[in-house]
Amino acid sequence: MCRSSLRMAALHHRRIDCVCEGPVSGTEQVKYPGRSAKPMSPSDFLDKLMGRTSGYDARIRPNFKGPPVNVTCNIFINSFGSITETTMDYRLNVFLRQQWNDPRLAYKEYPDDSLDLDPSMLDSIWKPDLFFANEKGANFHEVTTDNKLLRIFQNGNVLYSIRLTLILSCQMDLKNFPMDIQTCTMQLESFGYTMNDLIFQWLDEGPVQVADDLQLPQFVLKEEKDLGYCTKHYNTGKFTCIEVKFHLERQMGYYLIQMYIPSLLTVILSWVSFWINMDAAPARVGLGITTVLTMTTQSSGSRASLPKVSYVKAIDIWMAVCLLFVFAALLEYAAVNFVSRQHKEFFRLRRKLREEQRMREAANANAQSNNGLQGNLPSNKDKGSLKRCSACAREEQLAQGNQPLYLNSFGMEPCMIGGDGPLSETAAFFAGLPPGHALFEIRRRFIERAKRIDTISRAVFPLSFLLFNVLYWFTYKVLRSEDVHASG
């Protein structure tokens, strides 16, 4: 039988300590435990921390009626793409992380330094009312569950992370398109809390992080990103706002292949007509019209994917100048053809003079037969010979004087202008003339003038286009690029 000494402790506790001395059997050993703390279950802990019995009200911000809540933000960019010029927006997928301190959520009863809670608990705590000021569309991700994270620390800090896909507006300046550098912003703003209640700020280390394998199809995302504040002033108050600016440099590979090189080859193709015989009118006219229509189609295609802006873009200047060159090549053949056919105008007037002489001879012959004065007047043969000789002498005089015959012919006989088409017997006419005749010199002079136009065009057109290329690329790749970097 055990010997025990009973010692009365404090009366209000009524605790009895039993001290057993000596060996006791297993059936006789009795223990009266003292105070023992039972571990709190996670459910009980959460109920005590933010449940109905905790007194926590998610409708009231931390430090109510006190200093504003400082919310630290940072973003991680998963993907960045779909930059659209027509609608002036861009699409990106991000992890948005917000961190603030809520003293009501501080705890010591639980041994862990932090608690990762289910996203459903977000409805039980207060959260900042952040929204994207330049957002045009957004959606959450719920596959396979809500892509949200909630973490509470012992000191009351709260980390809230969410995955979002955003479509944000970006005001683009397309004056240097497609050699432009665009600056797109992302603005994070409070909707309902003024700066007296809530302040946003960027995380000190790594406020904007980008995935290592991030690539854009047409742009290069520069490493430098401008962080700043964009505090908004409305009639309802002063609201906190922070922003980040992304610098996107456009790559020209696509536009070189699809726009610049085809238009360049089209312009060069239009110069082929300078080496085609000027008598091949169908070939030269067909080539000129084809190049003009091709350039018109390419110019329309270059503007199809761009907004209807009022200013002139770099691609517009290129397409306009290329169209001007191919159109000038078509007009060049019109000038060549006009000059080369001027000697035929002289031959046409010469034939008219002969017809007029025959008509006068016939009229004189009729008059003489009617008046019976054939014996006293010169014969028709002699009179016709005199007229023809006087006309030929006039032609020879003009030819030897090296004067523009077709202009003198117009001045001599204005009533005879406007006959039928070019002479069909031109070749036969020249075949019947003796070598060294003045009319050969007239014809050769006009043909050489036309050929000289083609010869000059072969050098002037390429040199002019080369000069334009030097000025164009120097202006947009060097001068404009330096201005953009300086302003950025």
Side-chain angles (χ1 to χ4, degrees), residues 379-396:
S379 63
N380 294 338
K381 181 177 180 181
D382 296 337
K383 184 179 280 188
S385 301
L386 291 174
K387 291 180 180 291
R388 285 194 295 271
C389 291
S390 61
C392 293
R394 177 60 178 167
E395 293 173 4
E396 294 290 340

Side-chain angles (χ1 to χ4, degrees), residues 87-106:
T87 55
M88 289 195 177
D89 55 33
Y90 65 102
R91 184 185 185 95
L92 72 167
N93 183 276
V94 299
F95 292 152
L96 172 63
R97 297 161 181 163
Q98 306 173 67
Q99 189 168 355
W100 67 93
N101 182 266
D102 191 343
R104 298 172 296 178
L105 297 179

Side-chain angles (χ1 to χ4, degrees), residues 198-217:
L198 184 63
I199 294 178
F200 289 146
Q201 60 186 12
W202 287 110
L203 187 66
D204 295 333
E205 297 182 1
V208 179
Q209 300 172 322
V210 181
D212 295 335
D213 57 347
L214 180 63
Q215 292 184 352
L216 282 72

